[in-house]
Amino acid sequence: MTESSEQLEQVLGRVRLDPTYLNLWSTFKKIQQLDLRPPDDEKNSLRLAVIGSSTLEPLAACIDVKSRLLGLHVSTFVGGFNTYRQEVLDSKSDLHRSNPDVVVLAVDAWSILDKDFITTFARMSEQELIDKAHELVESVRSVARALEESTSALILVNDFITPVFSPLGIVDSKQRMGLKSFFALANEGLHDAFSQSSRVFVVNLDSIASDFGKSRVINWNTWYRGSIPFSEEFTPVLADEYLRYVRALKGRARKCIVLDLDNTLWGGIIGEDGIEGIKLGTVSPGIEYLDFQRVLLSLYNRGVILAICSKNNYDDAIRVLKEHPHQILREEHFAAMRINWQDKASNIEALAKEINIGLDSMVFIDDNPVERAQVAQAHPEVLVVDMPKNPRLYRETLENLKVFDVLSLTKEDMARGEMYASKRKRSQLEQSATSIEDFLRTLDLKVRIKEVDDFDTPRAVQLIGKTNQFNLTTRRYSDAEVRQFRESRDVAVYTMAVTDRFGDEGVVGVAIVRKSPEEWLIDSFLMSCRVIGRSVETAMLAKIVKDAKTAGISKIKGEYIPTKKNAPARDLYERHGFGSRIEDGEVTTWTLDLETGTVEVPEWIELIEE
Amino acid sequence: MTDINDRLSDILSAVLNIDKDQITDDLRRKDFEAWDSMAHLMIISEIENVFEMFFEDEEVVDIWTVGDLKRILSQKLGN
């Protein structure tokens, strides 16, 4: 460790304990003086730009330091007072030179509206107001759009804070266009303008401000003295909102919640109170736990993985999950369980291993502060939630965590919980089966292979971008390239979806085939590690072979390019009877002569073609 | 008064990033790079928050040294 990075650890350690506005600012200034080298991996660095209509240094400082607390190396550009338009439009500006990967665009509605807007508001016609709202939206939209086109950054645009005061008073809501509906219209326009964009996100500043208390959002002294738009208390809170996007972008979001049972999922202790005695029902005490479980289930239903870590007799605990009439979370919702008398730190380590995720993806929820302290000490990577003593506040505590964010949700992401739970049941079956083929036969595997359609394209691009292990060539094609392949008659992009008796895995495989009149070349062949070991790759290869034969092709070639991670895919072509291996640099090419060879779908797989 | 001076030097040391024992009454804005206009704003608003008071704009621009700050602070808190 260099001297500077040691100093960095010291200052960050202090601000972590007491992240007040003053300490965040002081830390920001201190870090600026250190000579820190950016890391090699993009995922560990953040180039932040904060631009807008007011003095934004304090906000930028809070986002900067909070991002560093996540372990990121940060360089921060802060735009000048109300010069954001020039900065965005001039391709040689310092903003563009800083080559940001996250841009915060904070524009105050009142910096765009005419100075006499509020004075004449009550006299303006509905149409005039609608036009003004559109102008307001267009003014911000055009800047965000220009940013989207001229950078590759994630762009975070604040929506407008609806004022609490209206000159119309209590009849504001009786007008066809009151001040509140004017701002609602503008905000709706802003959200609509970017609902289809994958890089521009409209940040709900209005609701964050409401949650905090609009009367405390601005410090009027610093506003009039230095055009600082947000108060000392609100600025760090707002920074936390941008941090959600930073976490999602840089792979720092959490994926799994590990739950204690007694006094966490229900009131009381199952081993002592019994299934009739624990508090879990439709009136208080007991309803608090139902509501808490409902929020957990809502997160599960969008892809957060749930697991159990409880000190209990297994049979006592599992009986509640199976038989209690009010229990919301059932056995099937949990990807893994450790219900035993071992220490929780080692149980959590075992859970991480079984689910196959990092400890840094886990959140631990337990009512017992001693257990929490043990886990926090053994595994500082795990987010240990400081649960309140009062179970009525469990739900709110969970809702306020805001650490599970993703930048897009595919169908497969949403069903992740089910997939892990089926994996658990599948591995139980595998342990009881006598041979691997017996095991596969009992799975009722169904494989659906087809050329990619509009619906599957985002998932195919996602798999192409992130699959490392079972990936023959690791060619990372972009969304635009995949769409070009689809339009070309010389290329076929196949997707494979897999289901079995335990659940639907969704689209888990992609193959890209380049066709010429004499032979087909398998340019890419990849499969999610979730389905390795179920011989579904044979089915996808068999489908390509079958299509080639139908087209009267005599030869299929397949390529393999070794990487650090793709050893599981190395022998794919060899295993399936491909021969005449030719090595050319890093690329190995295998050939299957279709006049003498073929690939069949395994008898335990039902192939569905479309 | 020592309590006030302690809290004041907490603020100055945090905003200006200097050790508390380096803060003397004749430390001047003009001679000290870290005490720029943004830092000055920070110091003023932190004092306002901590001591629950408020500075007039004329007072803000008239503060040139730590001594000035202490003087105006004790005046205002004395009233």
mmCIF file of all heavy atoms in Angstrom, chain A residues 21-23 25-30 55 57-58 219 221-222 224-228 232-233, chain B residues 10-11 13-15 17 36 38-39 41-42 44-46 48-49 53-57 60:
data_model
loop_
_atom_site.group_PDB
_atom_site.id
_atom_site.type_symbol
_atom_site.label_atom_id
_atom_site.label_comp_id
_atom_site.label_asym_id
_atom_site.label_seq_id
_atom_site.Cartn_x
_atom_site.Cartn_y
_atom_site.Cartn_z
ATOM 1 N N TYR A 21 -22.498 16.230 6.939
ATOM 2 C CA TYR A 21 -22.202 17.127 5.820
ATOM 3 C C TYR A 21 -20.808 17.741 5.955
ATOM 4 O O TYR A 21 -20.000 17.711 5.036
ATOM 5 C CB TYR A 21 -23.274 18.210 5.822
ATOM 6 C CG TYR A 21 -23.152 19.302 4.787
ATOM 7 C CD1 TYR A 21 -23.565 19.085 3.484
ATOM 8 C CD2 TYR A 21 -22.691 20.571 5.139
ATOM 9 C CE1 TYR A 21 -23.502 20.103 2.542
ATOM 10 C CE2 TYR A 21 -22.623 21.589 4.205
ATOM 11 C CZ TYR A 21 -23.030 21.346 2.904
ATOM 12 O OH TYR A 21 -22.971 22.360 1.984
ATOM 13 N N LEU A 22 -20.529 18.260 7.166
ATOM 14 C CA LEU A 22 -19.236 18.909 7.388
ATOM 15 C C LEU A 22 -18.077 17.918 7.200
ATOM 16 O O LEU A 22 -17.078 18.224 6.552
ATOM 17 C CB LEU A 22 -19.196 19.502 8.801
ATOM 18 C CG LEU A 22 -17.903 20.225 9.193
ATOM 19 C CD1 LEU A 22 -17.645 21.425 8.292
ATOM 20 C CD2 LEU A 22 -17.958 20.670 10.656
ATOM 21 N N ASN A 23 -18.242 16.705 7.746
ATOM 22 C CA ASN A 23 -17.178 15.713 7.617
ATOM 23 C C ASN A 23 -17.008 15.238 6.175
ATOM 24 O O ASN A 23 -15.896 14.963 5.725
ATOM 25 C CB ASN A 23 -17.453 14.510 8.525
ATOM 26 C CG ASN A 23 -17.242 14.861 9.981
ATOM 27 O OD1 ASN A 23 -16.677 15.915 10.273
ATOM 28 N ND2 ASN A 23 -17.709 14.017 10.877
ATOM 29 N N TRP A 25 -17.619 17.021 3.496
ATOM 30 C CA TRP A 25 -16.950 18.108 2.771
ATOM 31 C C TRP A 25 -15.450 18.127 3.095
ATOM 32 O O TRP A 25 -14.600 18.218 2.210
ATOM 33 C CB TRP A 25 -17.593 19.456 3.131
ATOM 34 C CG TRP A 25 -16.874 20.607 2.522
ATOM 35 C CD1 TRP A 25 -15.950 21.418 3.122
ATOM 36 C CD2 TRP A 25 -16.968 21.055 1.167
ATOM 37 N NE1 TRP A 25 -15.478 22.344 2.230
ATOM 38 C CE2 TRP A 25 -16.080 22.147 1.015
ATOM 39 C CE3 TRP A 25 -17.723 20.645 0.056
ATOM 40 C CZ2 TRP A 25 -15.920 22.825 -0.188
ATOM 41 C CZ3 TRP A 25 -17.568 21.323 -1.143
ATOM 42 C CH2 TRP A 25 -16.667 22.394 -1.259
ATOM 43 N N SER A 26 -15.156 18.024 4.392
ATOM 44 C CA SER A 26 -13.777 18.057 4.842
ATOM 45 C C SER A 26 -12.979 16.898 4.229
ATOM 46 O O SER A 26 -11.850 17.075 3.759
ATOM 47 C CB SER A 26 -13.788 17.976 6.366
ATOM 48 O OG SER A 26 -12.496 17.834 6.865
ATOM 49 N N THR A 27 -13.604 15.715 4.194
ATOM 50 C CA THR A 27 -12.948 14.544 3.606
ATOM 51 C C THR A 27 -12.704 14.746 2.115
ATOM 52 O O THR A 27 -11.633 14.414 1.587
ATOM 53 C CB THR A 27 -13.833 13.295 3.817
ATOM 54 O OG1 THR A 27 -14.125 13.181 5.194
ATOM 55 C CG2 THR A 27 -13.138 12.039 3.334
ATOM 56 N N PHE A 28 -13.708 15.301 1.447
ATOM 57 C CA PHE A 28 -13.582 15.566 0.001
ATOM 58 C C PHE A 28 -12.359 16.439 -0.265
ATOM 59 O O PHE A 28 -11.537 16.154 -1.128
ATOM 60 C CB PHE A 28 -14.864 16.243 -0.471
ATOM 61 C CG PHE A 28 -14.844 16.667 -1.915
ATOM 62 C CD1 PHE A 28 -14.824 15.717 -2.932
ATOM 63 C CD2 PHE A 28 -14.858 18.018 -2.264
ATOM 64 C CE1 PHE A 28 -14.822 16.104 -4.271
ATOM 65 C CE2 PHE A 28 -14.853 18.410 -3.595
ATOM 66 C CZ PHE A 28 -14.833 17.456 -4.593
ATOM 67 N N LYS A 29 -12.240 17.510 0.537
ATOM 68 C CA LYS A 29 -11.128 18.444 0.344
ATOM 69 C C LYS A 29 -9.787 17.769 0.652
ATOM 70 O O LYS A 29 -8.794 17.992 -0.031
ATOM 71 C CB LYS A 29 -11.318 19.670 1.255
ATOM 72 C CG LYS A 29 -12.344 20.643 0.713
ATOM 73 C CD LYS A 29 -11.788 21.329 -0.540
ATOM 74 C CE LYS A 29 -12.807 22.219 -1.218
ATOM 75 N NZ LYS A 29 -12.310 22.728 -2.503
ATOM 76 N N LYS A 30 -9.787 16.941 1.691
ATOM 77 C CA LYS A 30 -8.558 16.251 2.073
ATOM 78 C C LYS A 30 -8.101 15.305 0.969
ATOM 79 O O LYS A 30 -6.920 15.234 0.638
ATOM 80 C CB LYS A 30 -8.818 15.442 3.351
ATOM 81 C CG LYS A 30 -7.940 15.854 4.504
ATOM 82 C CD LYS A 30 -8.296 15.061 5.745
ATOM 83 C CE LYS A 30 -8.613 16.022 6.872
ATOM 84 N NZ LYS A 30 -9.412 15.483 7.932
ATOM 85 N N THR A 55 -25.027 26.202 -7.414
ATOM 86 C CA THR A 55 -23.714 25.841 -6.881
ATOM 87 C C THR A 55 -23.770 24.410 -6.357
ATOM 88 O O THR A 55 -24.427 24.138 -5.358
ATOM 89 C CB THR A 55 -23.320 26.793 -5.736
ATOM 90 O OG1 THR A 55 -23.389 28.132 -6.239
ATOM 91 C CG2 THR A 55 -21.924 26.500 -5.242
ATOM 92 N N GLU A 57 -21.047 22.161 -5.764
ATOM 93 C CA GLU A 57 -19.871 21.546 -5.135
ATOM 94 C C GLU A 57 -20.215 20.698 -3.908
ATOM 95 O O GLU A 57 -19.719 19.578 -3.793
ATOM 96 C CB GLU A 57 -18.830 22.608 -4.735
ATOM 97 C CG GLU A 57 -17.854 22.978 -5.831
ATOM 98 C CD GLU A 57 -18.397 24.057 -6.742
ATOM 99 O OE1 GLU A 57 -19.558 24.477 -6.523
ATOM 100 O OE2 GLU A 57 -17.690 24.483 -7.662
ATOM 101 N N PRO A 58 -21.050 21.212 -2.981
ATOM 102 C CA PRO A 58 -21.323 20.392 -1.794
ATOM 103 C C PRO A 58 -22.002 19.055 -2.128
ATOM 104 O O PRO A 58 -21.641 18.025 -1.579
ATOM 105 C CB PRO A 58 -22.256 21.279 -0.960
ATOM 106 C CG PRO A 58 -21.927 22.675 -1.385
ATOM 107 C CD PRO A 58 -21.636 22.573 -2.851
ATOM 108 N N ASN A 219 -31.761 25.605 2.612
ATOM 109 C CA ASN A 219 -31.311 26.554 3.630
ATOM 110 C C ASN A 219 -31.289 27.917 2.938
ATOM 111 O O ASN A 219 -30.464 28.162 2.067
ATOM 112 C CB ASN A 219 -29.917 26.152 4.117
ATOM 113 C CG ASN A 219 -29.328 27.175 5.081
ATOM 114 O OD1 ASN A 219 -29.791 28.311 5.170
ATOM 115 N ND2 ASN A 219 -28.299 26.759 5.800
ATOM 116 N N ASN A 221 -30.463 30.827 3.834
ATOM 117 C CA ASN A 221 -29.247 31.634 4.003
ATOM 118 C C ASN A 221 -28.214 31.272 2.940
ATOM 119 O O ASN A 221 -27.688 32.135 2.249
ATOM 120 C CB ASN A 221 -28.649 31.416 5.388
ATOM 121 C CG ASN A 221 -29.450 32.135 6.456
ATOM 122 O OD1 ASN A 221 -30.013 33.200 6.199
ATOM 123 N ND2 ASN A 221 -29.526 31.553 7.630
ATOM 124 N N THR A 222 -27.930 29.978 2.793
ATOM 125 C CA THR A 222 -26.902 29.594 1.816
ATOM 126 C C THR A 222 -27.432 29.737 0.391
ATOM 127 O O THR A 222 -26.665 29.927 -0.543
ATOM 128 C CB THR A 222 -26.403 28.155 2.049
ATOM 129 O OG1 THR A 222 -27.523 27.275 2.100
ATOM 130 C CG2 THR A 222 -25.612 28.051 3.331
ATOM 131 N N TYR A 224 -29.448 32.263 -0.728
ATOM 132 C CA TYR A 224 -29.294 33.659 -1.154
ATOM 133 C C TYR A 224 -27.839 34.105 -1.116
ATOM 134 O O TYR A 224 -27.416 34.950 -1.889
ATOM 135 C CB TYR A 224 -30.180 34.579 -0.302
ATOM 136 C CG TYR A 224 -31.627 34.456 -0.690
ATOM 137 C CD1 TYR A 224 -32.581 33.947 0.185
ATOM 138 C CD2 TYR A 224 -32.038 34.813 -1.984
ATOM 139 C CE1 TYR A 224 -33.911 33.813 -0.196
ATOM 140 C CE2 TYR A 224 -33.370 34.672 -2.367
ATOM 141 C CZ TYR A 224 -34.299 34.171 -1.488
ATOM 142 O OH TYR A 224 -35.590 34.038 -1.872
ATOM 143 N N ARG A 225 -27.045 33.505 -0.234
ATOM 144 C CA ARG A 225 -25.651 33.898 -0.115
ATOM 145 C C ARG A 225 -24.789 33.290 -1.223
ATOM 146 O O ARG A 225 -23.905 33.944 -1.757
ATOM 147 C CB ARG A 225 -25.135 33.414 1.229
ATOM 148 C CG ARG A 225 -24.252 34.355 1.944
ATOM 149 C CD ARG A 225 -23.886 33.743 3.280
ATOM 150 N NE ARG A 225 -24.633 34.308 4.380
ATOM 151 C CZ ARG A 225 -25.019 33.620 5.460
ATOM 152 N NH1 ARG A 225 -24.773 32.326 5.547
ATOM 153 N NH2 ARG A 225 -25.653 34.215 6.412
ATOM 154 N N GLY A 226 -25.060 32.037 -1.583
ATOM 155 C CA GLY A 226 -24.159 31.372 -2.527
ATOM 156 C C GLY A 226 -24.839 30.467 -3.540
ATOM 157 O O GLY A 226 -24.171 29.631 -4.165
ATOM 158 N N SER A 227 -26.162 30.624 -3.722
ATOM 159 C CA SER A 227 -26.912 29.783 -4.665
ATOM 160 C C SER A 227 -26.696 28.284 -4.437
ATOM 161 O O SER A 227 -26.654 27.508 -5.382
ATOM 162 C CB SER A 227 -26.556 30.113 -6.110
ATOM 163 O OG SER A 227 -26.852 31.437 -6.390
ATOM 164 N N ILE A 228 -26.513 27.914 -3.172
ATOM 165 C CA ILE A 228 -26.408 26.488 -2.850
ATOM 166 C C ILE A 228 -27.833 25.965 -2.681
ATOM 167 O O ILE A 228 -28.574 26.453 -1.831
ATOM 168 C CB ILE A 228 -25.575 26.283 -1.567
ATOM 169 C CG1 ILE A 228 -24.152 26.789 -1.834
ATOM 170 C CG2 ILE A 228 -25.571 24.818 -1.151
ATOM 171 C CD1 ILE A 228 -23.280 26.832 -0.612
ATOM 172 N N GLU A 232 -27.833 21.611 4.451
ATOM 173 C CA GLU A 232 -26.764 20.746 4.961
ATOM 174 C C GLU A 232 -27.299 19.377 5.352
ATOM 175 O O GLU A 232 -26.589 18.381 5.230
ATOM 176 C CB GLU A 232 -26.101 21.394 6.186
ATOM 177 C CG GLU A 232 -25.316 22.660 5.895
ATOM 178 C CD GLU A 232 -26.184 23.909 5.779
ATOM 179 O OE1 GLU A 232 -27.425 23.809 5.713
ATOM 180 O OE2 GLU A 232 -25.621 25.011 5.755
ATOM 181 N N GLU A 233 -28.546 19.319 5.845
ATOM 182 C CA GLU A 233 -29.107 18.027 6.250
ATOM 183 C C GLU A 233 -29.552 17.232 5.027
ATOM 184 O O GLU A 233 -29.441 16.018 4.981
ATOM 185 C CB GLU A 233 -30.322 18.208 7.183
ATOM 186 C CG GLU A 233 -30.003 18.844 8.525
ATOM 187 C CD GLU A 233 -29.886 20.361 8.427
ATOM 188 O OE1 GLU A 233 -30.422 20.939 7.452
ATOM 189 O OE2 GLU A 233 -29.233 20.968 9.294
ATOM 190 N N ASP B 10 -13.319 23.353 15.945
ATOM 191 C CA ASP B 10 -13.760 22.118 15.271
ATOM 192 C C ASP B 10 -14.164 22.419 13.828
ATOM 193 O O ASP B 10 -13.773 21.728 12.886
ATOM 194 C CB ASP B 10 -14.985 21.520 15.981
ATOM 195 C CG ASP B 10 -14.607 20.789 17.265
ATOM 196 O OD1 ASP B 10 -13.403 20.485 17.431
ATOM 197 O OD2 ASP B 10 -15.510 20.540 18.091
ATOM 198 N N ILE B 11 -14.975 23.469 13.677
ATOM 199 C CA ILE B 11 -15.484 23.826 12.356
ATOM 200 C C ILE B 11 -14.337 24.258 11.438
ATOM 201 O O ILE B 11 -14.194 23.768 10.313
ATOM 202 C CB ILE B 11 -16.535 24.963 12.460
ATOM 203 C CG1 ILE B 11 -17.773 24.459 13.219
ATOM 204 C CG2 ILE B 11 -16.919 25.479 11.082
ATOM 205 C CD1 ILE B 11 -18.745 25.561 13.592
ATOM 206 N N SER B 13 -11.148 23.695 11.663
ATOM 207 C CA SER B 13 -10.212 22.623 11.363
ATOM 208 C C SER B 13 -10.786 21.677 10.316
ATOM 209 O O SER B 13 -10.077 21.203 9.425
ATOM 210 C CB SER B 13 -9.836 21.922 12.670
ATOM 211 O OG SER B 13 -9.770 20.556 12.508
ATOM 212 N N ALA B 14 -12.104 21.414 10.371
ATOM 213 C CA ALA B 14 -12.729 20.521 9.386
ATOM 214 C C ALA B 14 -12.782 21.164 8.002
ATOM 215 O O ALA B 14 -12.434 20.544 7.000
ATOM 216 C CB ALA B 14 -14.131 20.129 9.847
ATOM 217 N N VAL B 15 -13.221 22.420 7.949
ATOM 218 C CA VAL B 15 -13.394 23.053 6.636
ATOM 219 C C VAL B 15 -12.043 23.369 6.002
ATOM 220 O O VAL B 15 -11.838 23.169 4.808
ATOM 221 C CB VAL B 15 -14.249 24.337 6.749
ATOM 222 C CG1 VAL B 15 -14.351 25.028 5.396
ATOM 223 C CG2 VAL B 15 -15.637 24.006 7.271
ATOM 224 N N ASN B 17 -9.135 22.037 6.831
ATOM 225 C CA ASN B 17 -8.208 20.913 6.914
ATOM 226 C C ASN B 17 -6.854 21.284 7.525
ATOM 227 O O ASN B 17 -5.801 21.014 6.956
ATOM 228 C CB ASN B 17 -8.001 20.289 5.525
ATOM 229 C CG ASN B 17 -9.094 19.281 5.234
ATOM 230 O OD1 ASN B 17 -9.409 18.443 6.079
ATOM 231 N ND2 ASN B 17 -9.691 19.378 4.058
ATOM 232 N N ASP B 36 -10.975 29.696 0.734
ATOM 233 C CA ASP B 36 -11.518 30.384 -0.445
ATOM 234 C C ASP B 36 -12.983 30.748 -0.177
ATOM 235 O O ASP B 36 -13.478 30.556 0.929
ATOM 236 C CB ASP B 36 -11.347 29.508 -1.698
ATOM 237 C CG ASP B 36 -12.015 28.145 -1.556
ATOM 238 O OD1 ASP B 36 -12.815 27.952 -0.611
ATOM 239 O OD2 ASP B 36 -11.734 27.275 -2.386
ATOM 240 N N MET B 38 -15.750 29.453 -1.205
ATOM 241 C CA MET B 38 -16.608 28.313 -0.878
ATOM 242 C C MET B 38 -16.392 27.902 0.592
ATOM 243 O O MET B 38 -17.353 27.641 1.321
ATOM 244 C CB MET B 38 -16.258 27.159 -1.824
ATOM 245 C CG MET B 38 -17.245 26.023 -1.823
ATOM 246 S SD MET B 38 -18.839 26.489 -2.543
ATOM 247 C CE MET B 38 -19.885 25.532 -1.461
ATOM 248 N N ALA B 39 -15.134 27.860 1.009
ATOM 249 C CA ALA B 39 -14.831 27.497 2.400
ATOM 250 C C ALA B 39 -15.434 28.530 3.353
ATOM 251 O O ALA B 39 -15.955 28.184 4.414
ATOM 252 C CB ALA B 39 -13.321 27.395 2.600
ATOM 253 N N LEU B 41 -18.120 30.319 2.885
ATOM 254 C CA LEU B 41 -19.557 30.039 2.961
ATOM 255 C C LEU B 41 -19.840 28.879 3.908
ATOM 256 O O LEU B 41 -20.780 28.904 4.703
ATOM 257 C CB LEU B 41 -20.079 29.648 1.569
ATOM 258 C CG LEU B 41 -20.629 30.730 0.674
ATOM 259 C CD1 LEU B 41 -21.083 30.121 -0.644
ATOM 260 C CD2 LEU B 41 -21.837 31.378 1.366
ATOM 261 N N MET B 42 -19.015 27.829 3.780
ATOM 262 C CA MET B 42 -19.171 26.642 4.620
ATOM 263 C C MET B 42 -19.025 26.998 6.095
ATOM 264 O O MET B 42 -19.828 26.592 6.924
ATOM 265 C CB MET B 42 -18.074 25.618 4.288
ATOM 266 C CG MET B 42 -18.329 24.853 3.030
ATOM 267 S SD MET B 42 -19.475 23.511 3.378
ATOM 268 C CE MET B 42 -19.860 23.043 1.712
ATOM 269 N N ILE B 44 -19.330 29.902 7.582
ATOM 270 C CA ILE B 44 -20.431 30.744 8.051
ATOM 271 C C ILE B 44 -21.689 29.913 8.300
ATOM 272 O O ILE B 44 -22.334 30.015 9.348
ATOM 273 C CB ILE B 44 -20.723 31.878 7.032
ATOM 274 C CG1 ILE B 44 -19.503 32.800 6.879
ATOM 275 C CG2 ILE B 44 -21.964 32.661 7.435
ATOM 276 C CD1 ILE B 44 -19.093 33.520 8.156
ATOM 277 N N SER B 45 -22.031 29.035 7.334
ATOM 278 C CA SER B 45 -23.290 28.306 7.515
ATOM 279 C C SER B 45 -23.172 27.265 8.629
ATOM 280 O O SER B 45 -24.140 27.012 9.347
ATOM 281 C CB SER B 45 -23.765 27.682 6.200
ATOM 282 O OG SER B 45 -22.828 26.761 5.718
ATOM 283 N N GLU B 46 -21.990 26.673 8.809
ATOM 284 C CA GLU B 46 -21.826 25.743 9.932
ATOM 285 C C GLU B 46 -21.972 26.470 11.266
ATOM 286 O O GLU B 46 -22.621 25.967 12.180
ATOM 287 C CB GLU B 46 -20.456 25.044 9.865
ATOM 288 C CG GLU B 46 -20.400 23.870 8.895
ATOM 289 C CD GLU B 46 -21.392 22.750 9.218
ATOM 290 O OE1 GLU B 46 -21.571 22.443 10.418
ATOM 291 O OE2 GLU B 46 -21.994 22.192 8.277
ATOM 292 N N GLU B 48 -23.664 29.161 11.779
ATOM 293 C CA GLU B 48 -25.089 29.478 11.920
ATOM 294 C C GLU B 48 -25.872 28.272 12.436
ATOM 295 O O GLU B 48 -26.755 28.415 13.282
ATOM 296 C CB GLU B 48 -25.667 29.931 10.569
ATOM 297 C CG GLU B 48 -25.263 31.346 10.210
ATOM 298 C CD GLU B 48 -25.831 31.798 8.874
ATOM 299 O OE1 GLU B 48 -26.103 30.938 7.997
ATOM 300 O OE2 GLU B 48 -25.988 33.018 8.688
ATOM 301 N N ASN B 49 -25.536 27.092 11.907
ATOM 302 C CA ASN B 49 -26.262 25.896 12.334
ATOM 303 C C ASN B 49 -25.926 25.502 13.766
ATOM 304 O O ASN B 49 -26.808 25.197 14.556
ATOM 305 C CB ASN B 49 -25.943 24.717 11.403
ATOM 306 C CG ASN B 49 -26.501 24.936 9.999
ATOM 307 O OD1 ASN B 49 -27.416 25.742 9.811
ATOM 308 N ND2 ASN B 49 -25.947 24.237 9.032
ATOM 309 N N MET B 53 -27.779 30.863 14.914
ATOM 310 C CA MET B 53 -27.792 32.310 14.745
ATOM 311 C C MET B 53 -27.699 32.613 13.247
ATOM 312 O O MET B 53 -27.726 31.701 12.428
ATOM 313 C CB MET B 53 -26.596 32.907 15.464
ATOM 314 C CG MET B 53 -25.311 32.219 15.035
ATOM 315 S SD MET B 53 -23.878 32.869 15.811
ATOM 316 C CE MET B 53 -23.791 34.421 15.002
ATOM 317 N N PHE B 54 -27.600 33.895 12.917
ATOM 318 C CA PHE B 54 -27.562 34.222 11.501
ATOM 319 C C PHE B 54 -26.748 35.489 11.250
ATOM 320 O O PHE B 54 -26.784 36.433 12.031
ATOM 321 C CB PHE B 54 -29.004 34.283 10.985
ATOM 322 C CG PHE B 54 -29.335 35.409 10.074
ATOM 323 C CD1 PHE B 54 -29.011 35.338 8.715
ATOM 324 C CD2 PHE B 54 -29.988 36.540 10.553
ATOM 325 C CE1 PHE B 54 -29.338 36.381 7.867
ATOM 326 C CE2 PHE B 54 -30.312 37.572 9.698
ATOM 327 C CZ PHE B 54 -29.991 37.491 8.356
ATOM 328 N N PHE B 55 -25.919 35.450 10.206
ATOM 329 C CA PHE B 55 -25.048 36.583 9.876
ATOM 330 C C PHE B 55 -25.665 37.441 8.776
ATOM 331 O O PHE B 55 -26.233 36.915 7.815
ATOM 332 C CB PHE B 55 -23.695 36.082 9.345
ATOM 333 C CG PHE B 55 -22.806 35.472 10.387
ATOM 334 C CD1 PHE B 55 -22.787 34.100 10.573
ATOM 335 C CD2 PHE B 55 -21.968 36.262 11.164
ATOM 336 C CE1 PHE B 55 -21.957 33.528 11.517
ATOM 337 C CE2 PHE B 55 -21.134 35.701 12.115
ATOM 338 C CZ PHE B 55 -21.124 34.324 12.295
ATOM 339 N N GLU B 56 -25.518 38.762 8.916
ATOM 340 C CA GLU B 56 -25.872 39.658 7.816
ATOM 341 C C GLU B 56 -24.784 39.551 6.743
ATOM 342 O O GLU B 56 -23.632 39.238 7.061
ATOM 343 C CB GLU B 56 -25.900 41.117 8.307
ATOM 344 C CG GLU B 56 -26.843 41.411 9.450
ATOM 345 C CD GLU B 56 -28.301 41.424 9.011
ATOM 346 O OE1 GLU B 56 -28.574 41.380 7.795
ATOM 347 O OE2 GLU B 56 -29.172 41.452 9.904
ATOM 348 N N ASP B 57 -25.156 39.856 5.493
ATOM 349 C CA ASP B 57 -24.170 39.777 4.414
ATOM 350 C C ASP B 57 -22.962 40.685 4.673
ATOM 351 O O ASP B 57 -21.831 40.324 4.390
ATOM 352 C CB ASP B 57 -24.820 40.157 3.074
ATOM 353 C CG ASP B 57 -25.718 39.040 2.576
ATOM 354 O OD1 ASP B 57 -25.662 37.939 3.168
ATOM 355 O OD2 ASP B 57 -26.474 39.262 1.621
ATOM 356 N N VAL B 60 -20.572 39.026 6.934
ATOM 357 C CA VAL B 60 -19.854 37.922 6.285
ATOM 358 C C VAL B 60 -18.640 38.441 5.531
ATOM 359 O O VAL B 60 -17.543 37.893 5.652
ATOM 360 C CB VAL B 60 -20.792 37.152 5.328
ATOM 361 C CG1 VAL B 60 -20.015 36.099 4.556
ATOM 362 C CG2 VAL B 60 -21.926 36.498 6.093
#
